[in-house]
Each structure stands twice: as structure tokens, then as C-alpha cells.
Amino acid sequence: AQFGRTTDPLAAYDEQFQQVDVKPYDLWLEERIHNQGYADGTIDVIERRVRQWRKHLRSEDTESDDDTEDEDDAENKEWNRHPAAPSTQHVIDFAKHYLDKKGNSKDTVAAKLSTLSRAFQYFQSEPAFPHQKDFNPFDVAKGKLALTGDDPKPPHQIELGELQLKIREDIKHIRDRALIVTQLKLGLRASEVSNIKLSEIHIANSELQEHYEELGTHPALEGRENAVYIPHDRKRNKSKRPRVLPLDDELRRLLLQYLLCRPDNGRPWVFLSKSGGKKLDPDNINDIWKKYFRPEYDPTERYRGVSSHYGRHYFTTWFKIERDWSRDLIKYMRGDRQSGGDMQSSRDAIDSYIHAWYEDIENRYRQGIFKLRL
């Protein structure tokens, strides 16, 4: 007040932004993103971050089973604040939402804010917009948040018996149980589970194969019974290489139960939403995990909260600590890079000549994977 300043300088423009028909972020996307030669995958990421930001400022609860709401519908709803006129606190709340509730990494949240900061800089540069040059709430928020460095906290230590009881007693929904067990037993990211197609999963069951003609028809599964193919180059899949992974008898039973009652709507994806039978996205999958594992396994001073990434941690720890598998076999199952690329100081030359394949892990996996007694 003494200096004639305010900590929320864009509040004065909120009502005016609410009244105009022009959507500022759409202008930015059209002028600075769509016409600049970016790869389709990059554009998808940028557009998704804008959608998440818009959605966060809506007045209703942002949690939902289906996060694929039409953008025009979202624009017509009441906002807490127009997304082009936020305060620093709005941005901080957005960042904490994705850190604490959605389980995003610090690097991921920092990338979201950087994208939105670029849009804000566009508003600052265009004379038709009222955004002052010396205030960018996204940059200010990044300065107030600790978004550099890995989270030092480990995941919750859930013993196998405790995990067995949790899944057997608390997760009764057929799809949810199949999805969570798939991530636990295969170490998959939420994006990788979201992207599995019917053609990429083989289950030796005549009734199921008769119902789904495309089941298990991907060339990578030829001669490989009861297995799943995980691509590396599909939207939001972060793995460095594709791989084929075995399906043990327990996971096959769960997938069989689910696929026999899965909505038969012609969509290629294995896991579909309850409402509308649409493809699940990673946020939906993360919400499913939190539905069953929170608040019991919320973030604490000692542990990070259980989210959809927990299965990947549990899977890796199981095969390294409990089964003492070599790093190269585990790296194959995780889809990690095994050879090629720049040589790093921590990587010996021999590492470029060591490779693992499906045939190296299939029998050992089926014998060594943990059982959930379902």
C-alpha cells in the first residue's frame, strides 16, 4: 500500500476477461504453437498443460473419473479466476495440486509452469492485453517453490502380506483391480497402461479370443503366448525401448474377468472409463490408485504418498532386492536404455554390449513374480 502496489495486480482485469469472447490461451496456441513446426507430441503436451491450468481454476472439484471433458463445456462454466488473470497464489495452488494430489514429480510441475509462463509472456508482448511487463505470476511462483532436485523421500514400505490384503479386501471393482495389479506386476507407468491396445495383449483363452478378434495380433507377440507388448514411442510413454512382458496366471485371470465385461464399443484401448467407455488417461489412473490407497498412504514427513507410480517402484524393488536379478534384466523389463547413446562417466564401455531380451526373462519372471493370492 505504501508504494501504491498490489500483490494481485491482475485481479482488476478478471471481470473484463470473463466478459470477452476471445480465449487468450487459444490465441497463443494458434500464433505461437500450432504454426511453428512443433512435433505433434509436443503440441499435445502443451495443449494438455493449458487444459489442466484452465480446469484447476474452475469453481467445482477438479477430481473426476473422466478427465476428457470438452474444452468448450469447460469454458462456459463459472471460474474462480479467469486463467489469463491469475495471482501468484493461484499458480502456487496449481503446482501443489499436481505435486501433492496428482503425484507429479518436481520436474514435471516445473515444466508445466514453464509452458504457462511462455503463454503469459505472449500476453505481455501483445499490446491488446493489459498484462504488465514486470510481473509474471508463473515465474514468481517457481521462485517460491522448491521444484529442483528429486524428492528425497522414499515410497511407503508396504509389505507383501499387507498389499495382498489391501487388494483382496478393499479393491473389489473388476477394472480397478485389474489395472492396479497390471501396474504392480509389470512395473508400468500410468501412461503405458493407458496406451495398451487390445492388439498388444495376448491371453490364451478361446472365449476371449473369439470375442476380441484383434486380441494379441501385434507382430511382437507372434509365438509369445500370454504376454503384453509395451511400445516406447506412444504419447506420454517415457521408456527408451519397447519390450514384451509375460502375464502370469494371476494377472491373466484378472484381465480375463475384466475383458469379458469391458464395454464393447469398438475402441482399441484395453482400459476404458466407467462413464462413456473412453480411454483412461494417466490422471484418471492416478485417481484410481488414490481412491484405494489414500489417506492411509498419504504423503508424510518420511514417505511420499502412494500414487500410480508406486507399482513401478514396488516392481523394481521386488526383482532387485527380493529376487536379486541383474540390472540388465530389470532394465529390459522397465524399458530402460541398455545400449547406444552418449557414454556417461558412470557407465562402463561393456554396458554398450550387454543386451537382454524377452526370452531371457520369460521363465524366470513367471517363477519369480510375487503372488497376491487373489
Side-chain angles (χ1 to χ4, degrees):
Q2 182 66 30
F3 297 107
R5 304 279 287 182
T6 173
T7 58
D8 190 6
L10 294 172
Y13 302 107
D14 177 54
E15 184 176 352
Q16 292 164 285
F17 270 116
Q18 303 280 6
Q19 294 173 355
V20 298
D21 294 330
V22 174
K23 300 175 182 178
Y25 285 90
D26 287 352
L27 287 178
W28 173 66
L29 290 169
E30 180 180 352
E31 294 189 13
R32 299 292 178 87
I33 304 299
H34 294 157
N35 298 323
Q36 300 299 318
Y38 288 105
D40 289 344
T42 300
I43 293 175
D44 288 341
V45 170
I46 292 172
E47 289 180 337
R48 181 173 65 254
R49 290 170 180 170
V50 170
R51 286 197 302 271
Q52 291 170 342
W53 169 242
R54 285 169 159 167
K55 182 177 181 180
H56 181 74
L57 290 185
R58 290 217 309 273
S59 59
E60 64 269 19
D61 186 5
T62 60
E63 302 290 337
S64 65
D65 180 62
D66 187 357
D67 197 27
T68 56
E69 182 175 34
D70 183 81
E71 190 64 34
D72 289 334
D73 290 342
E75 287 286 357
N76 290 330
K77 294 184 178 180
E78 181 182 355
W79 301 80
N80 282 331
R81 179 69 72 86
H82 193 281
S87 69
T88 300
Q89 191 59 50
H90 286 116
V91 181
I92 291 175
D93 290 345
F94 170 76
K96 289 182 176 180
H97 174 77
Y98 278 91
L99 284 169
D100 300 336
K101 292 187 177 181
K102 294 294 187 180
N104 285 187
S105 69
K106 294 178 181 179
D107 287 344
T108 297
V109 172
K112 292 181 194 294
L113 298 190
S114 294
T115 295
L116 296 169
S117 175
R118 289 171 57 194
F120 196 88
Q121 291 166 23
Y122 165 78
F123 304 152
Q124 291 175 313
S125 68
E126 289 292 322
F129 287 107
H131 301 75
Q132 59 195 53
K133 300 293 191 295
D134 62 348
F135 172 69
N136 183 325
F138 299 99
D139 290 346
V140 175
K142 285 181 70 175
K144 292 178 179 289
L145 295 164
L147 296 178
T148 58
D150 295 331
D151 189 339
K153 293 186 291 188
H156 280 272
Q157 295 176 290
I158 306 178
E159 298 295 332
L160 179 57
E162 188 178 354
L163 194 60
Q164 292 169 339
L165 185 64
K166 163 66 69 174
I167 295 174
R168 187 167 59 246
E169 300 295 329
D170 294 350
I171 308 176
K172 300 295 187 181
H173 191 276
I174 292 176
R175 183 209 63 182
D176 293 355
R177 178 183 281 189
L179 190 153
I180 287 173
V181 173
T182 295
Q183 288 193 262
L184 282 166
K185 292 218 175 200
L186 300 179
L188 301 182
R189 299 179 177 90
S191 57
E192 292 170 331
V193 175
S194 169
N195 283 327
I196 297 175
K197 294 182 178 181
L198 292 167
S199 62
E200 294 164 349
I201 189 166
H202 180 274
I203 298 176
N205 180 278
S206 58
E207 182 180 0
L208 197 62
Q209 291 173 342
E210 182 178 345
H211 185 74
Y212 295 106
E213 294 183 357
E214 70 272 41
L215 193 75
T217 56
H218 193 281
L221 296 177
E222 185 176 354
R224 292 166 169 171
E225 191 175 86
N226 296 319
V228 58
Y229 171 69
I230 308 298
H232 71 296
D233 54 357
R234 195 161 289 157
K235 180 180 177 182
R236 297 185 73 177
N237 281 15
K238 297 180 180 179
S239 296
K240 301 301 182 182
R241 59 173 293 178
R243 71 270 198 200
V244 177
L245 297 173
L247 302 175
D248 77 327
D249 55 351
E250 199 169 50
L251 181 52
R252 288 201 307 274
R253 287 196 301 272
L254 295 181
L255 290 170
L256 176 63
Q257 293 171 6
Y258 165 64
L259 288 171
L260 288 176
C261 64
R262 169 187 173 275
D264 194 2
N265 56 13
R267 290 190 168 96
W269 316 105
V270 171
F271 290 104
L272 302 177
S273 66
K274 297 175 186 176
S275 57
K278 300 176 183 178
K279 177 187 178 185
L280 290 176
D281 72 13
D283 285 344
N284 302 146
I285 293 172
N286 203 35
D287 289 340
I288 290 170
W289 275 79
K290 291 179 179 179
K291 174 182 177 180
Y292 297 104
F293 287 89
R294 303 285 190 96
E296 184 177 359
Y297 299 106
D298 267 345
T300 68
E301 292 184 0
R302 183 175 180 183
Y303 299 114
R304 72 183 71 173
V306 169
S307 65
S308 62
H309 207 62
Y310 184 82
R312 192 163 173 84
H313 283 281
Y314 194 93
F315 172 90
T316 304
T317 302
W318 175 262
F319 281 102
K320 183 59 182 172
I321 304 301
E322 299 294 334
R323 292 293 182 257
D324 194 26
W325 278 33
S326 71
R327 289 174 59 86
D328 295 286
L329 295 181
I330 297 174
K331 285 169 69 176
Y332 168 80
M333 294 195 298
R334 286 170 47 90
D336 295 341
R337 187 187 302 280
Q338 291 186 285
S339 64
D342 296 333
M343 193 67 67
Q344 304 295 326
S345 59
S346 61
R347 186 164 161 255
D348 295 330
I350 194 175
D351 291 336
S352 290
Y353 299 90
I354 297 176
H355 305 271
W357 307 99
Y358 176 74
E359 287 71 23
D360 297 323
I361 61 99
E362 180 187 11
N363 291 333
R364 289 187 64 183
Y365 174 93
R366 296 190 191 281
Q367 295 170 7
I369 186 63
F370 54 85
K371 298 298 181 183
L372 296 171
R373 299 180 180 178
L374 302 173

